[in-house]
Structure formats: structure tokens, C-alpha cells
Amino acid sequence: MLGSDAIVEAFQHHGVSRIFIFPGGTIAPVLDSATRRGVEIYCARHEQGAGYAALATARLSGRPQVVMVTSGPGVTNIITVVADAYFDSTPLIVLTGQVGTGDMLGNLPLRQRGFQEVDTIALLRPVTKAQFLPKKPADLPGMMEQAFEVAASGRPGPVVVDLPMNVQRGEVGEIPGSDEHPARDGKSLHGVNPAQIRQVLEWLESSRKPVILAGQGVLIARAQRELRALAEHGQIPVTQSLLGLGAFPTASPLALGFHGHTGNQYAGRALHEADLILVVGSRLDVRQTGSRFDDFGSGGRVVRIDLDLAELEHSRIRSDLNLHADARSALAALNAGLAGRALPDWSKWRERIDRWRKEFPLNYDMDGALKPQFVIETANRLSGGRSVICVSGVGSHQQWVARHFDFDYPTRIWLTSGGHGAMGFDLPVAIGSQLACPEAQVLCFVGDGSLQINIQELAAVAENKLPVKIIVLDNRRLGIVSQFQKFNWKSDPACGEKWNPDFAAIAAAYGITGLTVRSVSEVEPALKKAFVEPGPVLIHCLVDPLEDVVPMLMAGQTMDKMWPYE
Ligand SMILES: Cc1ncc(C[n+]2csc(CCOP(=O)(O)OP(=O)(O)O)c2C)c(N)n1
Ligand SMILES: [Mg+2]
């Protein structure tokens, strides 16, 4: 068996039937083996296109997916996706072609020895859980096994396996017992501690103003049912992080939407006043806590459940109790402890929150101009009752989708770039979502700026006849950065008044139905047409360039206040 065959065997052993690639000479041996052994090959138009499509499949299936790129420029082009997967906990197996071991630079004081050689391991080390560099074909079976194990275990994330040409092409032969163990980030997970569970329940029972804060950890652990049981048993309000949206149905009367930098002000108020915040599977990023770390949770106690011990040990937020556990086990233990026990009546607290809902609604003026929020709300309404995967780019439109679209895992799923905040996530993630879930309605809300980062992937939409609906919210502006510049420096160089192409005409050039929407009255007919059309549709919406993300939690503000309100 060749080294490349051993790699493909590992795919098959782990249920990977499709790999995501952009080709090059140094991955040709694995491509040959994959074809001979019946593994489907999805070929994007750019390495980011391949990587994000794999990332979407991994997020939706919860299982590691394979992206494979060639050495040199293939590697440098994939780094953004790998970083995205690392920061947002997505299990990816990143296979990179490499020059033969005899041509590798090693420790020589040269810039390069082999053609298209880069030090892949060094480039990817800061954004991967583990790095593997097989020196001989016999190393491959063990390393591939470990790669799949590490990517999926504990807090998921990407791993890289750098594949020198001669290692792929050589005979595997005898497989020696491996004594090499890669660096592992997760310390082993102990069971849920019953004394800690009793303590949380005691605090909950004596609380007057509890709030649950749900993060993406709930979704990764597939613990949305356990979360719902806890919240509904006690009628406890639930706020969600940007990536956690959908962990709890956002249309529920108990849901506060999301909180933080661009979240709902009433959610911020609830967190500010809460006397018990139960944080489940969220790292409490600065975007959701604001910069006043001292103030977060100052109204009472903070309890955290997380399976990444490092997040608990190095948090900027004070915590009164840390449960090192996965969200599902911890929530199940809390629910078991509550069985048959009545919790206090928190209706006064909920009424107080409901008054804030009315005081700080997510309004926007319908002053004649076409508002992006209106497009999103209309798409939300028209897609009701369907299985939806909603994807966004990065920018103001991302925040509006998070605010105005309803999520409820697993029927209304949200995929967005959180920690890395990478423009260009949008279109290729929509593609990967549609490949992974052919029956789902995939909606891609994307800004004019974000779309252009990976616009070449329209070719893959057309080629694979993927019925994604791409809704371009074109404000002729790199909106959220322009808003930031204007707020601080009163002008927006490079970000305002952008020249844009006719995106509907571009879609048409790819053989994709393109529609243009300029006014409020055109929104619903265009969306309805898109939803009934069996193939892909791009709707180019010319939205109000003056619309800003308001309100916003600014540096120095506590959670209860959001600019421009006090
Ligand atoms: C790859 C990348 N480059 C730059 C940025 C910085 N950035 C964040 S949002 C944004 C503007 C996004 O513009 P657009 O997609 O039109 O969305 P809008 O804010 O206008 O809705 C920029 C430039 C980024 N997040 N990612
Ligand atoms: Mg824009």
C-alpha cells in the first residue's frame, strides 16, 4: 500500500466520503488514491473556498472534515480558514502537500530549497491543535489516526498533517509502534462534580434574578434540549453569544437574543442586573462582555460551565464557580438535580426584562430608503416553517442578521465567523452547507465587501447546481468599519462610497439567476421568486448606505448602557 492510500484509508475509516480541495502537484498522489478508492472530490476555485466548505460540513455534522491544499501558495492561502476553525472550535483535518523530505529546508540558513516550499508547520502552529510531519510512509496510519482523534476530542479544532511528496508516494510496508505523541491542548475531562451541581442548584434557588448565558459550547455538545429543559423548568431568561444563537429558540418569550457589542440592549440590562449568571459553553469574549471586565456580573454570582479548562483558568471575568465539564453532561446533571423540585417564581424579574424590551426595541426607521433590516426580517418571515441554514459575511449585515433573524437549532441554524471575524466566510460556507444538507434552504446574507473576498466561488455554485439563495446587502460601504472610523475620526477613508459592480449581472454571467431590488415594495416579490426557484439565486439589494448599527456597546461602557442611549 502506498502512503497516499493509507491517507485515504483513514478518511474512509472516519466516515469521510467527500474531501474539499484546491489542487496542485504536491497533493496529486492523494488525489489519485482518493479517485481510485471512490472518495468524492469537491474542488473549489480558491483554497479558502475549499476550506470554508469543509468547515461548514464539519460545523453541521460535528465531525472532522478534510481540506487538502498544495504546498507553498496553497498553504498560505488556507491560513485564514484554519484560523477561523481554531478560534471557533471547528474540527478540520488540514492536509498540505510538501516537497520531498530530501528537498526540505530543515535547519539550513536559506530562504527556500524546494519549489513552492514553505515551513507549513511553523505557519500553522499558532492556529492548530496539533501538527504532524510524517518522515516516512509507515508514519502515516498512526499519524492520521491521531489527527482525527485530536481534531474531534475535547474542544474541537483544526490539525495539520504536512505530507512530503516521497512520503505520499512510498510504500507503507511494516508499521512500527509509534512512540511519538503530538502536543494535546485539552487536559483530560473529569465527570461532573456532584458537589458543584448541588452548589449551583442552591444558588439558583436563592436567586431573585437569574439569567442563563448560552454559548456555542451548547451547540458543539448538542445540548440544546438539556438547555431548553432547564430554562423552561425554571422559566429562566436566556441570552446567547453571537455563535451560540439558536442554542435556545430566539423567538421564545424567554429568549433575550444576543448580547454584547452589537447585541440587544435589554439582554445587556438583564446581565447587568442579574444576581446569578449561569454561563454555559462560552468563552466570554470581549465583544460580548464589553471592556469593563470588572463590571460584568457585578450584580451577583457568575457560574461557568466549560470543557476548555484554559478558558476557565485564564478568564478576564471573575467567576464564583467553574465547572469543568461539557455542556450536555453539566446541564443534564442540573436537570436531574431539579427533578421534582419547584424553583422560585421569577415573574417579577421577567416583567422587568419585558419592560426593557419595550424601552429598547430593535427598531429602525422606514423613512423611504430600503433598510437592510427590513430585507432580513422579510426573509425571516418568508422562510418560516422551513429547515434553514443561515450564513453571513462579516460586517454590519452580520449584526443585523443576528438581531433580526430567528434561530432555533437544528431547524434554523446560524453559521458565522466569530473569533476571527473573517470576511469571505459567507459564500463558501453557504456552498458547504448546501453540499452537507441538500434538503435545507441555505440563505447567505452577505455585504458588498465580504462577497468580493470569495466571489469566485460563484463558479462552484453554478457547477454543482447548488440552490443557495444569496442576498447581497449592498450599502456601497465597508459599513461597520466606516461607522467605526466616522465615530472616532469623523471621516471614513477607504471604507465609504465604494464603487460596486452590478452583482445581479455577475450572477447572470455565471448562469445564476440574478435579481435587483431597489425599493421596499420589491423585496417580498424577489424573495418569493427566489424561494420557489429550484436553482441558485442572487438578489442584489441596494440598501441605505447611511444605516448604522445602533445601539452599540462601546469601549468603556458597562453592559446596561449602549451608545447612543444611557
Ligand atoms: C478578511 C477581512 N479583511 C478585513 C476585515 C475588516 N472588516 C470587518 S467588517 C468590514 C466591512 C465589511 O463590509 P461589507 O461586507 O460590505 O459589510 P457591511 O459592514 O457593509 O454590512 C471590514 C473591512 C475583516 N473582518 N476581514
Ligand atoms: Mg457593505
Side-chain angles (χ1 to χ4, degrees), residues 74-230:
V75 171
T76 51
N77 270 355
I78 197 70
I79 293 177
T80 301
V81 178
V82 182
D84 196 287
Y86 189 60
F87 300 129
D88 288 354
S89 314
T90 311
L92 277 188
I93 310 293
V94 184
L95 300 182
T96 52
Q98 185 57 281
V99 299
T101 46
D103 286 329
M104 286 176 75
L105 190 58
N107 292 325
L108 291 173
L110 299 169
R111 293 193 181 188
Q112 192 180 45
R113 275 187 101 198
F115 170 62
Q116 293 187 324
E117 184 193 7
V118 288
D119 188 343
T120 302
I121 299 290
L123 284 173
L124 292 184
R125 181 172 281 117
V127 288
T128 45
K129 284 181 79 177
Q131 310 79 31
F132 300 89
L133 178 53
K135 302 276 174 48
K136 52 189 186 309
D139 293 343
L140 279 167
M143 284 190 179
M144 288 300 295
E145 202 50 40
Q146 288 183 52
F148 273 94
E149 223 271 316
V150 175
S153 64
R155 181 174 173 185
V159 302
V160 58
V161 188
D162 199 24
L163 299 168
M165 259 312 230
N166 55 323
V167 174
Q168 296 178 56
R169 301 187 76 173
E171 276 291 335
V172 173
E174 282 286 297
I175 302 166
S178 168
D179 50 2
E180 250 184 71
H181 291 287
R184 298 280 294 273
D185 76 348
K187 297 177 191 153
S188 73
L189 200 61
H190 38 77
V192 184
N193 177 337
Q196 288 190 317
I197 294 291
R198 277 197 300 278
Q199 179 67 82
V200 178
L201 292 176
E202 237 170 69
W203 285 348
L204 191 58
E205 281 172 339
S206 62
S207 155
R208 285 175 305 114
K209 296 185 276 185
V211 170
I212 298 171
L213 189 163
Q216 197 199 192
V218 175
L219 295 172
I220 292 172
R222 301 290 192 259
Q224 66 276 4
R225 270 197 219 100
E226 287 78 3
L227 173 66
R228 194 182 292 206
L230 177 65

Side-chain angles (χ1 to χ4, degrees), residues 456-491:
Q456 74 289 341
E457 300 305 318
L458 286 173
V461 171
E463 183 175 63
N464 295 283
K465 302 187 178 55
L466 298 170
V468 295
K469 313 303 173 192
I470 304 156
I471 303 165
V472 186
L473 297 170
D474 176 7
N475 52 6
R476 277 84 70 210
R477 183 180 177 204
L478 301 174
I480 209 159
V481 180
S482 152
Q483 180 177 340
F484 175 68
Q485 290 172 316
K486 282 183 161 172
F487 185 83
N488 289 291
W489 296 280
K490 313 296 169 224
S491 72

Side-chain angles (χ1 to χ4, degrees), residues 394-397 400 421-423 447-450 453 475 477-481:
V394 169
S396 304
H397 65 284
W400 288 316
M423 294 167 73
D448 47 309
S450 293
I453 302 279
N475 52 6
R477 183 180 177 204
L478 301 174
I480 209 159
V481 180

